[in-house]
Amino acid sequence: MEAAQVQQNWRIHKGRLVTRPGFKLLGSGLPLSGAPVMGGSVFIDEALLARAMAITKTKLYRYDTGSSAWVEVTADVGVSLTGGATDWFEAVSWNNKYIFSQRVNTLKAYVSGAGTFGHLTADVNSPAAAHLEVFADRVVAGDTFEGGTRFPWRLRWPVSGNELDWTGIGSGSVDFVDTPGRITRLSRLAGKGIIYKSDSIITATR
């Protein structure tokens, strides 16, 4: 047992026994209130300014490079995050917005430079979603929660170029029910959209 504990800091790399790489905490103000952290990514706005974002179960934070501290982005009145300990967030950068969801609350958005975050849109057809990606000039949502019902195989998208309109011409959805698996990830590859299910992979073109 003692030998096993010593080995926890070692790994084999290119045929050599080396120490595991270390890490350090990023910024002050840790741990974040509302912890644990349930998601986060880099938000790139229209000016190509990149900033780190973190989301706990109930709060949104941005990393301020000037103060090297995590700063809470408060919610608009009437807006809240209510997910549990297994509801992980995904987020995308689109149209100068940091758009995020965890399939519990409908899509939320933080606009670059704003002091608060709120609902992405007042459109009641905007879904909650477990997976998000940007493809074909749209924010695409997978494994959605709509009208009180989960659709784990559904892909939904808004009007082209307008993430606020989920019912107009060009918006729509498709249910990939040819196999029973749920959508587990969305990505892009070589100009195509990739929909990963637990039992298949689907490609999409514009």
Side-chain angles (χ1 to χ4, degrees), residues 1-198:
M1 180 63 70
E2 182 178 350
Q5 291 177 349
V6 172
Q7 288 177 327
Q8 288 180 354
N9 197 41
W10 297 86
R11 67 187 178 101
I12 297 174
H13 178 64
K14 296 182 179 180
R16 301 175 61 189
L17 195 62
V18 298
T19 57
R20 296 183 185 276
F23 67 91
K24 63 179 181 179
L25 297 177
L26 175 64
S28 60
L30 300 173
L32 301 177
S33 176
V37 175
M38 302 300 294
S41 57
V42 175
F43 171 34
I44 302 176
D45 64 18
E46 290 180 340
L48 301 182
L49 176 65
R51 56 173 62 85
M53 308 291 291
I55 316 170
T56 68
K57 288 192 298 183
T58 59
K59 298 178 182 294
L60 173 68
Y61 292 85
R62 62 176 178 82
Y63 181 69
D64 182 73
T65 55
S67 61
S68 298
W70 288 95
V71 179
E72 180 182 352
V73 180
T74 57
D76 289 341
V77 175
V79 176
S80 61
L81 303 177
T82 59
T86 59
D87 298 314
W88 302 96
F89 283 91
E90 286 201 9
V92 293
S93 301
W94 176 248
N95 271 355
N96 212 38
K97 300 181 182 73
Y98 185 73
I99 301 170
F100 57 99
S101 182
Q102 83 291 50
R103 205 190 60 230
V104 175
N105 306 118
T106 57
L107 296 174
K108 301 295 183 282
Y110 164 70
V111 179
S112 179
T116 63
F117 75 90
H119 299 303
L120 170 64
T121 172
D123 189 341
V124 296
N125 293 283
S126 167
H131 306 289
L132 297 172
E133 184 56 271
V134 173
F135 178 69
D137 297 323
R138 295 173 171 89
V139 175
V140 180
D143 185 355
T144 63
F145 191 81
E146 308 172 41
T149 301
R150 180 185 178 187
F151 298 92
W153 49 79
R154 177 168 293 177
L155 197 70
R156 181 172 289 283
W157 57 89
V159 172
S160 177
N162 185 1
E163 69 282 2
L164 305 182
D165 186 351
W166 291 76
T167 56
I169 297 175
S171 65
S173 67
V174 61
D175 291 341
F176 294 107
V177 294
D178 51 325
T179 62
R182 64 184 176 86
I183 294 176
T184 60
R185 185 188 175 195
L186 303 175
S187 69
R188 291 174 295 173
L189 179 65
K192 295 182 178 181
I194 311 295
I195 302 100
Y196 298 88
K197 295 184 65 180
S198 57

